[in-house]
Amino acid sequence: MPIKVNLPVKTPKIIKRLYSNYIWDKKTKNSTQKTLYLTFDDGPIPQVTPWVLQTLENFNAQASFFCIGDNIVKHPDIFNLLIKSDHTIGNHTFNHLNGWKTNNEDYLTNITKTEKLLTQKLAQNQLFFRPPYGKIKKRQANRLIEKNYQIVMYDVIAYDWDSTIDKNKCLDNVLSHTEDGSIIVFHDSLKAENNMKYALPRVLEHFSNKGYIFKGL
């Protein structure tokens, strides 16, 4: 049966416990350094991804990008720019597939198609995957874990793509729910562009001023 999770802005602890083989946050015990993990889904695209990279650089922040294979093929120069920026890069399928609505073999084949693009270019050893829409069947996930993927979900989701919320609500989603070790989801996509471009620099400034650093996974 597929995992049926309708996530609010802040992922409930019960969900994290039920699906503890996925990464929801990265809390570090006995550390004096407060750390956040920004992630960006759905790129790379020329209209948004370079702006995100420059904004992160302005704050000396590292992040993680979950890339759609089709966008890598369409925009190789932007993908190369992303690689040179030395952020963590993960797999987000080739065609932004919903795992609940896709048979297992087709889903895994689609992921492997993007995996081949990434392994040709990346020096990083670890394989990271985030399921589009946060929707993945247990058997699909188990097959990926057998291949040494880490399945990365999220602690806080900005809902920056949601046209029913304004930019201030998007910002508040992150500021009000983020804590040390949170994995935060933004999108370097056209749908999310307006809200994300407003919220991201303010998130970076707010938490930098509070002594946080931003790392890739």
Side-chain angles (χ1 to χ4, degrees):
M1 293 293 293
I3 300 166
K4 295 184 178 181
V5 179
N6 184 19
L7 287 176
V9 172
K10 180 79 170 179
T11 303
K13 291 180 181 179
I14 184 63
I15 297 298
K16 296 179 182 180
R17 288 196 294 268
L18 286 171
Y19 305 107
S20 59
N21 54 340
Y22 305 161
I23 299 172
W24 298 93
D25 51 46
K26 293 192 70 174
K27 298 185 186 303
T28 304
K29 294 181 180 179
N30 303 320
S31 174
T32 58
Q33 179 61 69
K34 297 183 292 185
T35 305
L36 299 177
Y37 300 87
L38 293 172
T39 65
F40 297 86
D41 291 0
D42 297 353
I45 60 170
Q47 300 93 328
V48 183
T49 307
W51 182 93
V52 172
L53 293 174
Q54 183 59 60
T55 302
L56 293 171
E57 184 178 340
N58 292 345
F59 288 88
N60 194 29
Q62 291 299 115
S64 301
F65 290 78
F66 289 89
C67 295
I68 293 173
D70 190 46
N71 282 337
I72 293 174
V73 172
K74 289 177 179 175
H75 311 296
D77 293 344
I78 305 303
F79 183 60
N80 287 334
L81 180 64
L82 178 57
I83 292 171
K84 291 176 182 177
S85 300
D86 201 31
H87 297 284
T88 302
I89 299 175
N91 190 325
H92 202 46
T93 75
F94 194 88
N95 298 108
H96 205 262
L97 296 185
N98 183 331
W100 294 1
K101 297 180 179 180
T102 309
N103 75 60
N104 295 344
E105 291 307 317
D106 287 347
Y107 191 70
L108 294 164
T109 297
N110 203 264
I111 293 166
T112 300
K113 191 174 180 181
T114 297
E115 179 184 319
K116 290 177 180 178
L117 294 172
L118 296 179
T119 54
Q120 289 170 2
K121 293 280 189 175
L122 300 182
Q124 67 188 43
N125 295 321
Q126 183 60 60
L127 297 171
F128 296 101
F129 176 73
R130 174 173 285 155
Y133 314 103
K135 295 178 179 179
I136 185 169
K137 298 173 188 173
K138 183 176 181 180
R139 185 167 294 181
Q140 294 165 348
N142 288 342
R143 290 275 297 276
L144 291 175
I145 291 168
E146 288 171 2
K147 292 183 64 177
N148 295 318
Y149 270 95
Q150 290 190 30
I151 298 177
V152 181
M153 293 297 199
Y154 25 75
D155 182 44
V156 176
I157 189 161
Y159 282 97
D160 47 352
W161 77 89
D162 188 343
S163 61
T164 67
I165 71 170
D166 66 18
K167 58 187 181 182
N168 287 298
K169 174 59 176 172
C170 176
L171 175 61
D172 183 65
N173 283 344
V174 180
L175 296 186
S176 296
H177 295 91
T178 294
E179 58 187 334
D180 186 24
S182 286
I183 295 174
I184 304 162
V185 180
F186 282 108
H187 293 76
D188 52 332
S189 67
L190 292 176
K191 188 182 291 186
E193 181 179 9
N194 289 338
N195 283 343
M196 185 275 295
K197 283 187 172 181
Y198 178 80
L200 178 60
R202 289 164 175 81
V203 166
L204 288 162
E205 181 176 21
H206 174 84
F207 287 106
S208 294
N209 289 341
K210 288 183 173 292
Y212 286 81
I213 61 170
F214 297 87
K215 288 185 177 181
L217 295 167

